[in-house]
Amino acid sequence: MELALALGRRGRGLTWPNPAVGAVIVRDGVIVGRGWTQKGGRPHAEVEALRRAGAAARGATLYVTLEPCSHHGRSPPCADAVIAAGITRVVSAIEDANPDVAGRGHERIRSAGIEVAVGLCGGEAAHDHDGHFRRFRNKRPHVVLKLAVSADDRIGGRGRSAVAITGFGGRQRVHLLRAQSDAILVGIGTVLADDPLLTCRLPGMEERSPIPVVLDRHLRLPRSCQLLSMLPARPLWLVGAAAPDRNAPDDFAVCDRAAALAAQGAEILTPERADLAAVLRLLAEKGITRLMVEGGARVASSFVAAGLVDEFWLFRGSVTIGSDGVDALEGLPLSALTQASEFSVLHRETLGRDSLTIYGRA
């Protein structure tokens, strides 16, 4: 099962709206097939593992990180494929939260006379599939807030000037986190100040860059910014205010900007309400399961204040910026996260002269 979990993680950031599942088929103590959910969510992990195992799957045990699906979507149910292949035992880490499945896959397999065991490495699987579960249970993506702070808890220099806070190891880890996220969100202030690309720049992994999402209420995104230059090869989503009224004088310019940005290929998203919960619900409806929040002290503090942070990745560099630098969270102390009772430390590691601490919501 640990191998199945490792295989499933290969698909993180690539399989949305489907979960990144891993599967291993074992017969007589020998691994005869392995698979993970492929890019775009198809084929599923079980189907991939069965294809690789071929005839050796008959009489074998399937280890899978999530309950095999039981419904017809864009492909037939994995439960039916498992039955047809002659698998005699299924070890599933956790039951699916998707109401179209939710135990029906396991029951379908049991009804065919196949032994089913559920719960092995269930905690690890729940963590690995956190975005999938949260999308169905909370109607929003799993939110990972990333902050890189100096030794004195600053994220920028005087006048919001950019400062190199982390070194090579920290930057590499950030790009890996981007590769494992479905989308990455920043505020328009970050775009105006830094003109970022928000891509994964690890060698050979550029195609794993997440969908960039910009909170841009008045659609102030510059027509010459780098995010627009990536279109149409890479999508760009701009979250504006509620749909403007073309007949209202104050909204006329916004309408023109929306039309110009759409003509360049950007997609304008208009949530029902002007709050982060509505934005997250809209992103979940579009299939996003894991959202990385990277941009700006104001955006970060807004997510914290709204109670919408599920994981917090704190990168700490060794440089000191000084009291005239930009605080990590606008209007809030960093301890609002690091010392919050609802968060606990999940992981610590050293990255050269930098450190990374990952906090998770209890």
Side-chain angles (χ1 to χ4, degrees):
M1 185 62 79
E2 289 179 349
L3 174 57
L5 288 164
L7 291 171
R9 294 178 193 122
R10 295 185 180 187
R12 268 197 165 182
L14 296 175
T15 66
W16 64 275
N18 287 352
V21 178
V24 175
I25 298 173
V26 179
R27 180 176 176 180
D28 298 329
V30 177
I31 294 174
V32 296
R34 63 185 76 193
W36 56 94
T37 310
Q38 297 298 293
K39 186 176 181 179
R42 294 290 190 282
H44 288 184
E46 300 96 316
V47 173
E48 275 289 291
L50 290 169
R51 179 184 65 80
R52 296 177 186 220
R58 189 161 297 278
T61 296
L62 168 68
Y63 294 85
V64 62
T65 65
L66 187 67
E67 176 184 8
C69 64
S70 56
H71 63 296
H72 283 268
R74 287 185 292 163
S75 59
C78 288
D80 289 357
V82 170
I83 295 167
I87 292 288
T88 56
R89 181 170 179 254
V90 172
V91 181
S92 178
I94 195 168
E95 186 176 287
D96 199 343
N98 183 345
D100 289 332
V101 186
R104 295 182 182 90
H106 290 149
E107 183 56 36
R108 195 166 186 152
I109 294 169
R110 286 193 185 99
S111 297
I114 299 171
E115 179 187 349
V116 176
V118 183
L120 182 63
C121 297
E124 295 93 324
H127 179 267
D128 283 3
H129 297 306
D130 46 20
H132 174 71
F133 278 62
R134 202 169 298 283
R135 180 168 173 256
F136 282 105
R137 291 175 176 170
N138 303 102
K139 310 302 180 186
R140 66 172 179 83
H142 185 82
V143 175
V144 180
L145 173 64
K146 167 258 168 181
L147 283 177
V149 304
S150 64
D152 54 348
D153 293 348
R154 314 291 177 181
I155 63 169
R158 182 178 182 181
R160 298 189 177 273
S161 60
V163 177
I165 292 175
T166 57
F168 178 79
R171 290 193 295 270
Q172 295 294 93
R173 198 72 168 83
V174 168
H175 285 290
L176 181 59
L177 178 59
R178 287 182 178 181
Q180 295 174 330
S181 303
D182 302 342
I184 181 171
L185 182 146
V186 297
I188 184 60
T190 294
V191 177
L192 294 175
D194 302 335
D195 191 19
L197 277 170
L198 304 178
T199 54
C200 171
R201 293 193 287 278
L202 296 176
M205 297 181 68
E206 294 84 358
E207 291 186 355
R208 298 193 59 153
S209 297
I211 302 287
V213 180
V214 181
L215 298 179
D216 188 9
R217 180 179 177 84
H218 300 293
L219 301 181
R220 294 185 293 147
L221 191 80
R223 298 279 298 277
S224 60
C225 75
Q226 293 193 93
L227 289 174
L228 284 171
S229 72
M230 301 290 288
L231 294 166
R234 183 188 182 208
L236 171 61
W237 297 350
L238 305 178
V239 181
D245 181 358
R246 187 71 167 160
N247 297 317
D250 292 344
D251 287 353
F252 189 84
V254 175
C255 288
D256 281 351
R257 289 195 291 272
L261 290 165
Q264 285 187 260
E267 184 173 352
I268 314 298
L269 308 183
T270 53
E272 293 181 356
R273 304 184 311 277
D275 60 65
L276 290 177
V279 172
L280 293 183
R281 187 179 185 93
L282 183 56
L283 293 179
E285 290 172 356
K286 290 183 70 63
I288 299 301
T289 66
R290 288 182 61 83
L291 176 69
M292 178 181 176
V293 176
E294 187 171 324
R298 181 176 301 172
V299 168
S301 62
S302 296
F303 272 88
V304 174
L308 293 172
V309 176
D310 301 304
E311 279 185 48
F312 172 42
W313 289 46
L314 180 63
F315 293 85
R316 187 177 292 280
S318 58
V319 300
T320 299
I321 293 177
S323 59
D324 56 352
V326 180
D327 290 335
L329 298 174
E330 185 171 290
L332 290 173
L334 190 57
S335 59
L337 276 172
T338 59
Q339 297 179 24
S341 59
E342 63 265 35
F343 285 94
S344 59
V345 175
L346 301 179
H347 177 72
R348 298 182 192 272
E349 63 182 281
T350 301
L351 305 165
R353 298 182 64 185
D354 308 326
S355 67
L356 166 62
T357 306
I358 301 175
Y359 299 82
R361 184 176 293 276

